[in-house]
């Protein structure tokens, strides 16, 4: 059980391939709900990732550090593999943070939250509604826009945009 003097730890899991302005907004806002946030970057072998797990961890860390020191002191970025509920317990967290965009995320999140609640009813999932300006941003669409030669600048930081453009060029050249 959570006691008043124990810091409230949350886990924000996801693929972050790559992290978008939507993810960063959720990270920033989640620190208002929890004292410490662990951003858990999923190894996720089933997805064909644009960036490796080590790259994604490094990119999310750099994104957080670029926002401000206070945020970096309260947010830890780690990779994780396996059952989320086990990971949440292992890091001493009691809250899972997820972002919710309009109706598209609801069905999947509803099922996953129900399943997770069965696995461990002591752990709560907290949803933060995507901010109005981030409703339509997803890593998948950002990658698609980039692959088709569109500008990704409105959806990700300039550092992420640069890395994405470089990676897409490498892929097109057959290097990755
Ligand atoms: P997953 O593979 O778990 O879907 P993502 O990296 O795509 O991983 O998303 C991680 C979490 O961030 C999910 O809860 C997702 O709903 C949320 N999220 C993604 N994009 C946005 C956004 N633009 N605004 C708010 N939440 C978002």
């Amino acid at each position: 059980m959570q006691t008043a003097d124990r810091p409230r730890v949350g886990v924000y899991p996801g693929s972050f391939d790559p992290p978008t302005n939507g993810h960063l907004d959720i990270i920033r806002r989640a620190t208002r709900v929890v004292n410490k946030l662990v951003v858990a970057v999923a190894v996720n072998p089933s997805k064909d990732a644009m960036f490796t797990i080590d790259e994604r961890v490094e990119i999310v860390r750099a994104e957080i550090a670029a926002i401000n020191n206070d945020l970096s002191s309260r947010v830890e970025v780690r990779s994780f593999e396996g059952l989320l509920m086990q990971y949440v317990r292992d890091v001493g967290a009691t809250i899972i943070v997820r972002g919710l965009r309009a109706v598209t995320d609801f069905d999947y999140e509803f099922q996953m939250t129900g399943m997770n609640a069965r696995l461990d009813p002591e752990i709560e999932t907290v949803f933060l509604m995507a901010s109005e300006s981030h409703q339509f941003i997803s890593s998948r669409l950002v990658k698609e826009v980039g692959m088709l030669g569109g500008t990704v600048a409105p959806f990700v930081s300039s550092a992420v945009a640069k890395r994405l453009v470089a990676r897409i060029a490498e892929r097109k050249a057959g290097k990755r």
Side-chain angles (χ1 to χ4, degrees):
M1 283 291 275
Q2 189 84 37
T3 56
D5 52 353
R6 271 231 321 258
R8 193 188 290 274
V9 181
V11 170
Y12 178 34
S15 308
F16 305 100
D17 184 44
T20 67
N21 293 343
H23 289 127
L24 290 174
D25 186 49
I26 296 291
I27 292 171
R28 213 182 290 122
R29 288 164 55 207
T31 58
R32 296 186 193 146
V33 180
V34 296
N35 307 103
K36 187 184 145 195
L37 185 70
V38 177
V39 179
V41 184
V43 171
N44 225 345
S46 64
K47 287 193 183 176
D48 176 28
M50 181 72 78
F51 295 98
T52 67
I53 182 68
D54 291 343
E55 287 171 329
R56 284 181 280 140
V57 167
E58 179 220 313
I59 297 170
V60 179
R61 273 196 194 132
E63 291 289 293
I64 291 167
I67 296 175
N68 66 45
N69 285 337
D70 182 47
L71 200 64
S72 356
S73 67
R74 292 177 52 204
V75 181
E76 226 176 84
V77 185
R78 301 196 202 166
S79 63
F80 100 99
E81 200 170 7
L83 192 65
L84 176 64
M85 298 310 269
Q86 187 56 49
Y87 182 78
V88 170
R89 277 194 292 258
D90 290 348
V91 298
T94 51
I95 288 178
I96 296 173
V97 175
R98 297 287 287 176
L100 205 57
R101 284 158 296 187
V103 283
T104 45
D105 288 330
F106 187 80
D107 196 40
Y108 174 70
E109 296 291 343
F110 184 70
Q111 283 191 31
M112 201 165 73
T113 304
M115 185 80 100
N116 284 340
R118 285 281 178 94
L119 293 174
D120 191 338
E122 297 279 302
I123 293 169
E124 288 294 344
T125 302
V126 170
F127 291 97
L128 298 178
M129 295 294 284
S131 304
E132 202 194 348
S133 51
H134 301 129
Q135 281 288 340
F136 305 104
I137 306 176
S138 72
S139 299
R140 185 178 60 81
L141 282 180
V142 166
K143 284 181 280 192
E144 273 182 36
V145 168
M147 302 263 252
L148 295 170
T151 174
V152 295
F155 317 119
V156 295
S157 72
S158 56
V160 169
K162 261 190 214 142
R163 287 194 74 143
L164 190 60
V165 167
R167 177 55 44 89
I168 288 168
E170 279 172 15
R171 282 210 163 180
K172 285 190 173 157
K175 288 192 206 139
R176 284 255 179 189

